[in-house]
């Protein structure tokens, strides 16, 4: 996929497995590129200030806030949005877990919650400590407290937090490791 503008530098990255090249102005956010130019509307716009987590996507497997990530930062990187996580025909196992555990209500925050959960589980696998870690040098455990702390940057206006935590736990239990 190539989107070009004749007066701006081109940024090349992988988007949901496809090579992508775009010409954008220096201050264009990943969120605006996805929604307004590439028509990938699964990533939602919430506060547009980095406070709610609704726009969370993965860059090189790590969770980022698309509203605060500039496209210019993506050259040579891999971006995964909710559209790259699963499809309606073949949902990702975590998406299935969200459905099974009633981890969503209105659904507005769900794509960000799922991308954040995938990134968070990777952090657990890599031994990244959190604010609730008793021993920052030890491998963190996937406890309910740990999951709630790590997901605390993703807000849900409906209050579906219990279902979200249950979905993440169910997925982590069956995923062989956390991912």
């Amino acid at each position: 996929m190539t989107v070009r503008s004749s007066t701006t530098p081109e940024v090349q990255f992988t988007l949901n497995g496809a090579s992508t090249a775009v010409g954008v102005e220096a201050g264009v956010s990943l969120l605006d590129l996805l929604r307004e130019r590439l028509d990938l509307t699964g990533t939602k716009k919430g506060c547009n200030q980095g406070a709610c987590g609704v726009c969370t996507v993965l860059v090189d497997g790590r969770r980022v806030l698309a509203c605060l990530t500039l496209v210019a930062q993506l050259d040579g990187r891999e971006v995964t949005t909710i559209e790259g996580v699963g499809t309606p025909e073949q949902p990702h196992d975590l998406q299935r877990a969200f459905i099974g555990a009633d981890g969503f209500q209105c659904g507005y925050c769900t794509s960000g919650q799922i991308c954040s959960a995938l990134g968070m589980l990777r952090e657990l696998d890599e031994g990244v400590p959190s604010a609730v870690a008793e021993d920052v040098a030890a491998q963190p455990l996937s406890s309910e407290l740990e999951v709630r702390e790590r997901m605390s940057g993703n807000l849900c206006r409906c209050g579906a937090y219990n279902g979200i935590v249950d979905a993440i736990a169910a997925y982590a239990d069956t995923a062989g490791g956390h991912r």
Side-chain angles (χ1 to χ4, degrees):
M1 171 185 311
T2 302
V3 178
R4 295 184 187 201
S5 171
S6 62
T7 61
T8 57
E10 188 172 86
V11 178
Q12 296 182 0
F13 58 99
T14 302
L15 176 61
N16 297 329
S19 180
T20 303
V22 295
V24 295
E25 297 75 25
V28 173
S29 73
L30 175 56
L31 178 60
D32 288 341
L33 175 74
L34 293 171
R35 292 187 59 80
E36 296 172 16
R37 296 205 28 207
L38 301 180
D39 218 19
L40 294 173
T41 56
T43 304
K44 304 298 186 222
K45 185 177 279 193
C47 67
N48 209 30
Q49 299 175 17
C52 71
V54 76
C55 67
T56 303
V57 298
L58 301 169
V59 174
D60 297 333
R62 304 200 183 286
R63 52 192 174 158
V64 301
L65 300 169
C67 70
L68 298 180
T69 303
L70 299 177
V71 176
Q73 298 172 283
L74 300 176
D75 203 41
R77 302 185 74 190
E78 183 175 337
V79 177
T80 304
T81 68
I82 194 66
E83 290 91 349
V85 171
T87 66
E89 299 80 27
Q90 289 289 345
H92 188 279
D93 287 340
L94 181 57
Q95 290 171 309
R96 291 180 200 272
F98 263 68
I99 293 167
D102 199 20
F104 62 94
Q105 287 183 23
C106 78
Y108 197 77
C109 72
T110 305
S111 60
Q113 297 277 359
I114 289 171
C115 287
S116 186
L118 291 170
M120 179 269 303
L121 290 168
R122 178 179 174 164
E123 293 166 10
L124 274 173
D125 285 347
E126 293 175 350
V128 177
S130 74
V132 298
E134 291 184 26
D135 179 359
V136 296
Q139 177 69 31
L141 301 174
S142 182
S143 67
E144 181 179 334
L145 178 63
E146 191 72 41
V147 170
R148 286 184 185 277
E149 167 61 26
R150 289 175 186 265
M151 292 296 293
S152 65
N154 288 79
L155 304 180
C156 173
R157 291 176 176 99
C158 300
Y161 297 110
N162 292 334
I164 291 167
V165 172
D166 291 347
I168 294 168
Y171 169 72
D173 287 345
T174 62
H178 295 111
R179 298 187 291 147

